[in-house]
Amino acid sequence: MRDNIKFHAFMKMTREAANVSLEEAGKGLYTKSMMAQIEKGTTLPDYMMRNRIMSRLGISSEGYEDFLQPDEYKRYLKRMELIKLIESKSFAEAEEQIDQVIFDEDLNLNKLELQFYYDMKARCLHFRKAPWGEVYEMYEKACSLTMIIEEVCEKKFGVWATLEYFLLFKMLEAKAECSVTPDESSKIADVCLSLLDHLDESAIDILGKAKVYTEGAVALGNIAHKNDYAQVDKKTVLEQYDKALDYLKQKSRSYYIAEILSGKISVLEETGNEEELKKAKELYDLFAEIYSEYDVDYFMDYNCYIYRDSDIYCIGDVIKSRRQMLQISREELADRVKCSYRTLMRIENGAISAQKAVLRPIMDELNINCDYTRSDIITDDREAVDRYYALTNMINNYVAADYDVLCKELEERIDMSYSNNKQLLDIIELFLAIGKGKITREQYICKLKEDLSLTLPVPVMEIKEGYLLHAELDLLIAIGKYTNEEEEKGHLMEYLQYCCDNHESGGYPVNYGTYEMVMIWLADEYSDVDRIEKVKEVARELLTLELKSHRLFELHGALYMLLRNNAKIDEKDKEYYKQSIDKMINICDFINNSVHKEYYILIKEMIEKKEDWKHY
């Protein structure tokens, strides 16, 4: 695999597309000269700094990958462990760990790590009901590490990342909770509203805005309410709530939905808009009931979702697992890349960091692009990246389009000599071809296996645990769904279940999209053969994680699988099933999923007619 698409090229492409200067992109992070060195490729920032720069340029890191050296990986695991403590409400233990880190000068934390720990400290202070002044102080410290607070107060806003907006909203809300005069409170509300407008017009992608605009709208609502809506009136607050809900709908998420809806209900009760009030209450009750039934916090107080982004791996673990998956001995790989056996062994065991000159040939031999591209496809053409995601989104959402033309245009823009690019485009083209009846099931499977062998030349039945590319996972899922070989299907069901259970980052799947696709497929397969307990296990696991991660992509699907499964065991009256299906229809309404909505309407009609919907 060639390796001429690098982080610096992707960064430059993205920065120019966003019309952001080097100085703006690096303000508070690096000097202009250092940013220039990064963009030339002479310096590569660490993982946290790469994510921060790209987030400032509007690129979300969710769903992408980062391979970390052992020391950096250990620090990452420590941060994830702290997040687990916060989310499990073990605040005393969490605060003890934070204090040990913050005051240990030998750790030599960089400013982004320190910003993280100040945020966690502020959360702990808030949860143990410390004075708001102490909470504000921590958020102010966190923000001032990469931003100039005085400029923020004067509404001189910069080019910021999603996390930086998040911290600013938290700081403003904490400041408003302190004992301030009405005039000061009005100024805070004005800054918060202006910051929301700035975020709305920024280069931050829709996912980033879904994550943080929602939190900002809640902060504004709380500040405005505290000030009796003197600076920001109720109509404006409602507009911000609705805009936040729209971002959630666009990305099928539920971040801060409880806080937004409860705030909206409170305002609507005062304004007397009965129709809108009824809708808000129904939506609030819908999600409140589901979250409560599965014992997941509905409100976001304890959720550290903002820090879950890239899929993180230790580079030594990736090399070792990938080598074993490809059935290459350590001696053979060392010989191929002209590296000593001892050096390779120490890299795999995390005893040393892999140097660039050694790492690149190793990753090439393992068919992995080791550089940071921030895209499934390997390219430094921003328009090609945008077209690829537009195409996949249209297919996933069943949007009518001339896909053949779009595929051809994309193929002309990207380098198809990269095996990964060929796999990803073939997945789309083959899916469309079998859907239109242009190829047979057997031809489809054969071609999928050919594509898989480009990077994973191992028979499907011999594939064992190890690191997989996203495209390889997609190919294996497609093979599993369509193969007529029962042994092969069974192997892939077991293997992909293993991938979902074991390849986790901080307790969450490293690739949510793949996890959802696999788990809903498994639940469907087990349901068809009436493996009642297995369906219950898989569907509940998916449903609980969807709620914890505030994702709504397959929430309706998991609910339906459980309903259909339970109906096979203990049948209830049709009104119960119709009301249950209505929940799924309402979820689909919220996320604008018309295809599944129509399916559930059909099921509801079958229930009314007393037809066998349980095996449909």
Side-chain angles (χ1 to χ4, degrees):
M1 178 179 288
R2 292 178 0 205
D3 193 22
N4 59 2
I5 306 296
K6 299 178 172 65
F7 169 70
H8 71 274
F10 193 81
M11 171 184 157
K12 182 178 182 180
M13 168 197 75
T14 306
R15 182 182 64 77
E16 290 176 346
N19 194 28
V20 173
S21 70
L22 276 173
E23 188 173 12
E24 290 174 315
K27 187 174 181 179
L29 304 177
Y30 286 127
T31 63
K32 182 179 179 181
S33 60
M34 177 59 79
M35 289 291 289
Q37 292 300 312
I38 294 171
E39 200 164 273
K40 289 177 183 175
T42 56
T43 299
L44 181 66
D46 67 13
Y47 136 76
M48 290 186 79
M49 193 62 77
R50 293 196 300 266
N51 277 1
R52 182 62 59 88
I53 292 171
M54 296 310 295
S55 181
R56 284 187 170 192
L57 298 176
I59 301 293
S60 171
S61 55
E62 185 173 314
Y64 299 117
E65 298 176 328
D66 277 289
F67 304 135
L68 307 187
Q69 299 288 6
D71 288 348
E72 194 176 1
Y73 186 65
K74 287 176 184 176
R75 295 199 300 273
Y76 161 76
L77 290 180
K78 194 166 186 176
R79 294 194 297 274
M80 292 302 105
E81 183 60 33
L82 182 55
I83 283 175
K84 287 182 182 179
L85 289 174
I86 295 289
E87 293 189 332
S88 65
K89 306 175 188 177
S90 303
F91 302 121
E93 186 179 351
E95 197 165 1
E96 183 180 352
Q97 286 194 16
I98 293 166
D99 290 342
Q100 288 175 355
V101 171
I102 288 177
F103 298 115
D104 188 345
E105 295 181 0
D106 292 337
L107 288 176
N108 194 28
L109 297 179
N110 64 45
K111 62 173 62 179
L112 300 189
E113 288 178 305
L114 194 54
Q115 194 172 61
F116 166 81
Y117 284 104
Y118 281 145
D119 179 14
M120 295 299 107
K121 177 73 172 180
R123 292 169 191 248
C124 289
L125 290 170
H126 172 61
F127 296 139
R128 65 175 170 84
K129 302 188 184 305
W132 274 105
E134 293 181 26
V135 178
Y136 168 71
E137 182 183 357
M138 282 299 116
Y139 278 125
E140 185 183 40
K141 283 184 176 182
C143 292
S144 63
L145 286 167
T146 59
M147 296 167 282
I148 301 173
I149 304 302
E150 292 76 14
E151 290 185 355
V152 174
C153 294
E154 295 172 3
K155 296 195 286 189
K156 297 177 182 177
F157 301 142
V159 176
W160 293 320
T162 303
L163 175 60
E164 289 168 318
Y165 282 106
F166 179 89
L167 293 173
L168 285 171
F169 286 127
K170 285 289 188 184
M171 182 191 74
L172 291 171
E173 187 173 8
K175 179 65 173 176
E177 290 291 345
C178 298
S179 298
V180 296
T181 66
D183 184 56
E184 288 175 320
S185 185
S186 292
K187 288 179 180 178
I188 294 168
D190 186 40
V191 171
C192 189
L193 180 59
S194 297
L195 188 59
L196 277 166
D197 291 339
H198 183 264
L199 170 60
D200 191 36
E201 296 171 2
S202 73
I204 299 291
D205 63 7
I206 299 298
L207 176 56
K209 289 175 181 175
K211 283 185 171 183
V212 76
Y213 196 98
T214 47
E215 189 249 349
V218 171
L220 178 70
N222 292 340
I223 296 167
H225 175 72
K226 183 176 178 63
N227 198 32
D228 199 26
Y229 303 95
Q231 180 67 37
V232 182
D233 60 31
K234 294 173 183 176
K235 179 182 177 182
T236 301
V237 171
L238 286 173
E239 287 173 352
Q240 300 308 311
Y241 284 149
D242 286 339
K243 189 173 289 186
L245 288 170
D246 187 55
Y247 279 130
L248 292 178
K249 290 178 181 181
Q250 289 185 62
K251 297 306 295 185
S252 300
R253 304 300 170 100
S254 59
Y255 307 124
Y256 286 95
I257 194 168
E259 291 86 344
I260 292 168
L261 289 172
S262 61
K264 185 175 180 179
I265 289 168
S266 178
V267 176
L268 288 171
E269 284 176 336
E270 296 179 17
T271 60
N273 189 329
E274 293 299 326
E275 184 178 349
E276 286 299 309
L277 178 61
K278 181 182 177 183
K279 290 179 182 177
K281 284 184 174 180
E282 287 175 350
L283 192 58
Y284 180 93
D285 291 343
L286 168 67
F287 288 111
E289 182 182 344
I290 297 170
Y291 273 88
S292 175
E293 182 177 355
Y294 294 93
D295 196 26
V296 177
D297 286 323
Y298 187 23
F299 288 81
M300 297 291 289
D301 283 349
Y302 310 106
N303 198 302
C304 299
Y305 73 100
I306 198 73
Y307 290 102
R308 290 197 181 88
D309 42 28
S310 306
D311 301 348
I312 308 299
Y313 301 90
C314 182
I315 204 159
D317 294 341
V318 169
I319 291 171
K320 184 177 182 179
S321 71
R322 184 72 175 179
R323 174 181 61 75
Q324 292 174 338
M325 176 178 279
L326 293 174
Q327 302 175 11
I328 304 172
S329 69
R330 190 177 284 157
E331 293 87 347
E332 184 181 356
L333 181 57
D335 183 61
R336 287 187 192 179
V337 301
K338 311 302 179 188
C339 164
S340 74
Y341 176 90
R342 176 175 169 76
T343 297
L344 179 57
M345 178 182 68
R346 298 186 73 197
I347 290 172
E348 289 189 347
N349 293 335
I352 61 172
S353 295
Q355 299 301 310
K356 189 175 181 178
V358 177
L359 179 60
R360 292 198 182 282
I362 291 175
M363 300 297 262
D364 282 347
E365 284 293 328
L366 300 177
N367 296 323
I368 301 173
N369 179 60
C370 67
D371 222 327
Y372 176 107
T373 63
R374 275 288 169 253
S375 172
D376 286 343
I377 58 171
I378 302 171
T379 180
D380 56 4
D381 181 347
R382 176 60 186 266
E383 189 172 341
V385 173
D386 292 342
R387 289 193 184 192
Y388 170 74
Y389 286 117
L391 176 60
T392 55
N393 286 337
M394 283 191 288
I395 292 173
N396 291 337
N397 296 322
Y398 300 90
V399 177
D402 193 340
Y403 296 115
D404 292 335
V405 172
L406 295 173
C407 287
K408 184 172 179 56
E409 288 177 354
L410 187 57
E411 188 173 344
E412 290 172 351
R413 297 192 72 98
I414 62 176
D415 187 345
M416 296 299 288
S417 67
Y418 284 100
S419 298
N420 191 250
N421 285 350
K422 180 169 175 51
Q423 286 175 328
L424 288 165
L425 203 60
D426 275 359
I427 289 170
I428 295 172
E429 292 179 340
L430 290 169
F431 172 77
L432 295 171
I434 193 169
K436 295 176 180 178
K438 292 183 178 180
I439 57 174
T440 64
R441 193 185 189 101
E442 291 73 21
Q443 290 171 325
Y444 181 61
I445 294 294
C446 182
K447 184 57 180 169
L448 290 173
K449 290 181 178 179
E450 284 180 14
D451 281 332
L452 182 64
S453 68
L454 293 173
T455 57
L456 189 59
V458 177
V460 169
M461 293 298 293
E462 294 181 23
I463 296 176
K464 299 178 181 179
E465 62 182 87
Y467 171 80
L468 285 172
L469 304 172
H470 287 182
E472 292 169 345
L473 275 167
D474 288 343
L475 287 164
L476 288 175
I477 294 168
I479 293 169
K481 285 182 176 180
Y482 282 87
T483 184
N484 288 319
E485 300 291 333
E486 289 303 316
E487 187 178 1
E488 188 171 67
K489 180 184 286 288
H491 170 71
L492 285 174
M493 288 175 67
E494 183 178 337
Y495 177 75
L496 291 167
Q497 172 83 65
Y498 164 83
C499 290
C500 289
D501 290 344
N502 293 281
H503 288 218
E504 295 189 349
S505 175
Y508 285 72
V510 295
N511 187 332
Y512 275 111
T514 299
Y515 179 90
E516 291 163 338
M517 194 186 310
V518 170
M519 298 303 276
I520 205 69
W521 167 56
L522 291 176
D524 197 30
E525 289 286 341
Y526 291 133
S527 181
D528 286 344
V529 294
D530 286 349
R531 290 185 60 181
I532 304 296
E533 287 304 312
K534 192 64 177 176
V535 175
K536 183 177 180 180
E537 174 192 333
V538 172
R540 283 189 69 94
E541 183 181 337
L542 172 60
L543 196 153
T544 302
L545 191 62
E546 290 284 282
L547 295 175
K548 285 183 177 179
S549 60
H550 290 267
R551 292 169 66 91
L552 303 176
F553 292 96
E554 290 296 351
L555 180 63
H556 58 88
L559 286 169
Y560 178 67
M561 288 297 175
L562 282 173
L563 183 72
R564 187 171 71 172
N565 185 64
N566 292 336
K568 294 176 181 178
I569 305 171
D570 181 22
E571 188 165 355
K572 300 181 183 295
D573 64 81
K574 69 179 182 180
E575 286 305 313
Y576 169 82
Y577 293 119
K578 286 164 64 177
Q579 290 173 11
S580 298
I581 294 295
D582 278 337
K583 292 181 186 177
M584 296 152 215
I585 292 172
N586 290 334
I587 292 171
C588 289
D589 259 339
F590 179 73
I591 62 177
N592 296 322
N593 185 332
S594 60
V595 173
H596 283 96
K597 177 182 175 180
E598 290 174 5
Y599 175 77
Y600 295 132
I601 289 173
L602 175 60
I603 295 298
K604 190 175 175 182
E605 291 172 353
M606 292 178 71
I607 292 171
E608 180 64 39
K609 297 174 182 177
K610 297 184 178 181
E611 296 176 355
D612 183 15
W613 63 277
K614 305 182 205 67
H615 295 89
Y616 178 70

